[in-house]
Amino acid sequence: MSETSSQGFWQRLGCQALGAWLRFRSIDPECPKTLLTGHDRPIIYILPVSALSDRLALSIFCQRLDLPSPDGNVCLAHGQRFPARMALFDATHYRRHRGHVDRSTSLDHLITALEEYPDSDVDLVPVTLFWGRAPQRERVGLRHLLTADGWSLVGRLQRLAGVIINGRSLEIRLGEPVSLRTLMAHGEVDQQFNRTRITRFLRRYFRRIRLQAIGPDLSHRRTLVRRVLRQPAVRAAVHDSALERGERDEHALQRAERYGFEIAANMSTPVLRFLYQVLGRLWNRLYDGVDVHGIEDVEALAGTHELVYVPCHRSHIDYLLLSYVLYQQGLMPPHIAAGRNLDMPLIGPLLRRAGAFFMRRSFKGNRLYGAVFNEYLHQLLSQGHPVEYFIEGGRSRTGRMLSPKPGMLSMTLRSHARAPSRELAFIPIYIGYEKVLESNAYIRELRTGKKRKETPLGLLRVLRHLRQPFGRVQVSVGEPLVLGSYLNQRFPDWRSQKPGPEADWLREAVPNLSLEIATRINHAAALTPISMVALTMLATPHRTIEIDLLMRQLKTLYALQERLPGGKRVRLPEQGPREWVERSEYLGMVSRIEHSLGDLITVSDERAPLLTWYRNNVLHLFALHALVAFAFRNNARLEFTTLESLLAPIWPALQQEFFIEADDQAFAEHLNGVLEVFVALGLLTHQGDTWQRPETGDEARERLYLLGRAIQPTLERGFILFSTLMHYPNGTISREMLEAQSQLLAERLTRLQGLNAPEFFDRRLFAGLLDSLERDGWLWQSQEKLNFDARLPEALMKSRMLFDPALRHRLTELTAGRAHSEASA
């Protein structure tokens, strides 16, 4: 038997032995057959190393999908034949020389042939296999985890164990075919140059795929901390701290080392994979499914950019859910910045091994801790580790996007400024729940104003909810923001300035960038049945509505986002109004009252505060629609110029509060677009330049009224704040006092109206409104007192047209009474 036929025999025998065992999951692309169709040139598969298990697995995969076989030879135009499968490196040499090998005899011969025969060409198809990386088919067990793929090239015995144990969870990735002729340099260059050039291209490709799938090689935690302590900035902070305390540098260095270990993650690949298998089962118990949108944008950047994931923060589940989704999609889970309050017994060590690194709520007064944390973050980013943090700081108890905190963003920008040649991209992510786990805790915290401390026992209590239905989860990727391009456009000379806190561009970039990221998160919001039902039910006077009117209103809300969406990447729900109402009943958000004249849908007093959380998830999408609708609540008809002058001063503040993009389009154009949609849906009529609401008793008028009521709490809060401020002479009331008085007045209003709405008087909402007014120049502080622009009283008087006389009188009387009592005291 010849050597070639002998090799073919053993190849077929190996394929038959493994064929019944191997199970594949294909990524990039999901349908590899479409990738390789329509190519006239011969195809040669390129593997990173010549491992027997990879060669056999590729043969079985191609046979099952009817792809060109890698086992034979390909014939070039001049008649010379080459193997249809090549390896970039020989595994034995690669292992022996610790990776410092760039030799491939077959590839050398192929390059030589193409240099001799210019009419010949082939397509190279890079192939990467991951044993034990397919998350949908992984099993729980230590033996599966220890034999899964990592960065080290294992020996034959461990490879055999990996094939046996992880053969049913094999992930394979085929790259885009690339012409070898295109990769070769033109002109008179020698073969060595071409070989080096092509080998480096393929090495970079395989490294990018491994970075995308399993992240950078995880160094030991102690090694990373020691590297942080060696950096000049940390050494300088150690010396300064020692001088301040009057101690030796060695003692300050020991303290810095303790800080490092307090902060640093201890990510463990076996623990990661074990957790994601367990979490997969948990999600199946908790949720009906997790819908992921826009992940292809992340895949396009992974491996070539430093990724910083910036999701909204609605639940403790956010940490785990996003990491699970990324792992399931074939991407490396990130290192996650977590509050030190989560570094508790049992939970803390587990989170640390899953990639969490812990930070104190404040660095104030401890420059050494700040230097260590800054350097640790820089080391993570510079080594290519994806990072995740929440720019809101803490979880949103109200369901809306909170004002971003500048700390982590500022540290990220300074890190990027130290090495601006590296590409860094922010990935905004919106996470929407049909039913959130902490709902009852949020209502309790809003009522009492006190946040319960996290404990292991408290987190474990979540397990008692496993039998409840929690619906579906929406994970939507917003438009990525490439930092270098963003800074080049807005701060052209940022590269020439030092990255210290005194840099002018940094002071301006941090708040602008935080608002941009928050806006992109909101633009990717997912409209769910629960959020639309909440928008409608909370707009009814007694939280009860006829089911027919509810379904018509739900249809109207859907049509508004379909025709004039409130964000660039808004996700609309599937099915229709009837199914949305039934889903809300199934999740216990509303209940049905059967009646002979038609069923009614109602919300209990206990559930009403919770529905505000789901309404606030998506209220920003309807902010302009609702504002226009509210203007017609107490005005039967309005001319366009009157409507514009009435709403234009209010809209910028709403944009700031709801993180809505402030584009170059004039407000009049936005307003005209809303009016046209309202006419198309029958909510308004118009003659010439005058717009009119439907007549009393018309069903369309009810829909317009319900839509306008969605924005009423926001406008009432603004009226309370401004009215309170106007009762004090300019420059006589502090910001803290104004916030406190406005909160008390809002709380009193809810009591007088018989409402159970603790979210309405959340002090952070008043603080956020004041922030936006200061940014726009309406307010400023001088000697810790607030001063206001002369335009503010005029805008307040004009806004009175929006409110009905009874409500206007109550709000005015409320604020005047409070100011009078304060003055008397």
Side-chain angles (χ1 to χ4, degrees), residues 261-309:
F261 283 108
E262 174 190 314
I263 295 166
N266 191 21
M267 187 176 276
S268 164
T269 301
V271 172
L272 275 176
R273 287 171 178 153
F274 176 78
L275 278 177
Y276 298 133
Q277 295 165 40
V278 173
L279 288 174
R281 298 184 180 184
L282 177 63
W283 304 146
N284 290 333
R285 290 291 302 272
L286 279 177
Y287 304 115
D288 296 334
V290 180
D291 300 323
V292 183
H293 312 283
I295 198 68
E296 60 276 1
D297 289 338
V298 184
E299 294 171 345
L301 296 171
T304 59
H305 290 66
E306 298 168 2
L307 298 184
V308 179
Y309 296 96

Side-chain angles (χ1 to χ4, degrees), residues 9 77 186 225 372 542 552 674 749 815:
F9 170 77
H186 300 288
V225 170
V372 173
H542 304 292
R552 286 195 295 270
V674 173
L749 181 62
T815 53

Side-chain angles (χ1 to χ4, degrees), residues 12 199 265 343 592 685 821:
R12 290 191 299 272
T199 300
D343 190 13
R592 184 187 297 255
T685 59
S821 63

Side-chain angles (χ1 to χ4, degrees), residues 9 28 252 311 331 405 411 483 665 690-691 694 714 745 779 808:
F9 170 77
D28 298 338
L331 297 164
K405 299 292 189 294
M411 286 185 273
L483 183 57
Q665 193 175 3
T690 301
W691 304 79
T714 302
L745 290 170
L779 297 176
R808 186 169 64 228

Side-chain angles (χ1 to χ4, degrees), residues 33 36-37 43 45 58-59 62-63 65-71 84:
K33 193 170 184 178
L36 303 183
T37 55
I43 288 176
Y45 299 96
L58 176 60
S59 299
C62 292
Q63 184 178 3
L65 274 72
D66 196 24
L67 300 176
S69 174
D71 297 329

